[in-house]
């Protein structure tokens, strides 16, 4: 009887269960820029079937998505718009640069194209021109593994980039701390003048 109970019951921690659920419910943002978007669109078809990973619900608004796939080339004029859309996504959020153009400007080595790393953080790069849907699925699996291992270890933590948000919602404690630091600096300046 004891062996049957050991074989039948699975125990885990609440954190591991939450990480597993978060990694299996990634909602991608529908954002295609060029030819790579055709390959991205094929991910929801029967052959690739992204619903295996809980990602079949592609969202059309950044407020409901937690992953953006930059599929195609990004021009200098489009980069601020992409960044604004990325900033509107709720935390935790992830980014995939799909294709050679989005990763490293690809064949368009001119002033008008900018790689995604120059204006926003990218968690996974998928090479190819355009990459096959299998490569995109592999990239999503790599991102899913990263989320399930430690979803809090997003790019802001890895690169110590807190405060780089376009708009930062300050909590009351943070505002009081900043005001205290400002008052302390002002007092030091007054003491230095005296």
């Amino acid at each position: 009887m004891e062996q049957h109970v050991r074989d039948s019951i699975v125990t885990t921690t609440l954190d591991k269960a939450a990480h597993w659920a978060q990694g299996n419910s990634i909602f991608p943002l529908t954002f295609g820029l060029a030819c790579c978007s055709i390959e991205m669109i094929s991910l929801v078809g029967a052959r690739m079937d992204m619903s295996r990973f809980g990602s079949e619900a592609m969202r059309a608004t950044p407020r409901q998505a937690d992953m953006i796939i930059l599929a195609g080339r990004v021009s200098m004029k489009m980069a601020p718009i992409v960044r604004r859309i990325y900033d509107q996504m709720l935390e935790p959020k992830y980014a995939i640069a799909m294709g050679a153009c989005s990763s490293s400007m690809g064949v368009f080595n001119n002033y008008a194209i900018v790689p995604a790393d120059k204006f926003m953080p990218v968690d996974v790069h998928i090479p190819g021109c355009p990459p096959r849907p299998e490569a995109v699925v592999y990239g999503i699996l790599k991102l899913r593994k990263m989320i399930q291992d430690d979803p809090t270890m997003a790019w802001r933590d890895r690169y110590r980039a807190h405060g780089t948000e376009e708009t930062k919602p300050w909590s009351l404690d943070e505002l009081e701390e900043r005001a205290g630091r400002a008052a302390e600096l002002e007092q030091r300046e007054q003491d230095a003048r005296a």
Side-chain angles (χ1 to χ4, degrees):
M1 183 67 162
E2 289 179 16
Q3 185 63 32
H4 176 71
V5 170
R6 284 192 195 115
D7 293 341
S8 302
I9 296 176
V10 176
T11 58
T12 186
T13 63
L14 184 61
D15 284 340
K16 285 185 181 178
H19 296 173
W20 175 86
Q22 190 175 359
N24 285 315
S25 61
I26 303 171
F27 292 160
L29 183 68
T30 57
F31 196 80
L33 292 165
C35 44
C36 284
S37 61
I38 300 301
E39 300 294 327
M40 182 182 71
I41 290 167
S42 67
L43 292 175
V44 295
R47 185 165 174 260
M48 290 295 111
D49 191 23
M50 278 192 24
S51 61
R52 293 178 290 171
F53 317 120
S55 300
E56 73 275 5
M58 287 200 158
R59 303 299 182 180
T61 174
R63 302 283 185 204
Q64 296 176 350
D66 56 2
M67 176 181 66
I68 183 169
I69 300 176
L70 284 177
R73 58 191 177 273
V74 183
S75 66
M76 294 285 257
K77 286 185 175 183
M78 195 65 183
I81 297 164
V82 173
R83 179 58 196 234
R84 180 169 292 136
I85 289 171
Y86 178 79
D87 286 336
Q88 290 174 357
M89 292 168 59
L90 300 176
E91 294 283 349
K93 55 188 169 187
Y94 308 98
I96 292 179
M98 177 182 170
C101 296
S102 172
S103 296
S104 63
M105 298 188 325
V107 298
F108 302 101
N109 192 8
N110 61 27
Y111 68 93
I113 306 299
V114 61
D117 281 339
K118 296 291 183 186
F119 62 91
M120 67 181 281
V122 176
D123 294 299
V124 176
H125 292 273
I126 302 171
C129 185
R132 299 271 311 142
E134 294 87 356
V136 182
V137 168
Y138 180 72
I140 291 171
L141 288 173
K142 295 294 273 185
L143 179 65
R144 186 170 159 241
K145 172 105 173 82
M146 184 189 81
I147 294 170
Q148 287 178 346
D149 286 346
D150 187 7
T152 61
M153 194 59 171
W155 70 273
R156 290 193 203 285
D157 297 323
R158 285 196 308 268
Y159 302 118
R160 295 184 186 100
H162 291 283
T164 59
E165 299 89 352
E166 190 173 338
T167 58
K168 180 165 174 49
W170 300 101
S171 69
L172 186 59
D173 294 335
E174 289 174 323
L175 287 173
E176 289 173 356
E177 182 183 338
R178 287 173 64 88
R181 276 189 268 149
E184 185 180 319
L185 284 173
E186 187 176 328
Q187 184 63 38
R188 284 184 191 169
E189 288 175 5
Q190 288 177 357
D191 292 343
R193 285 186 216 141

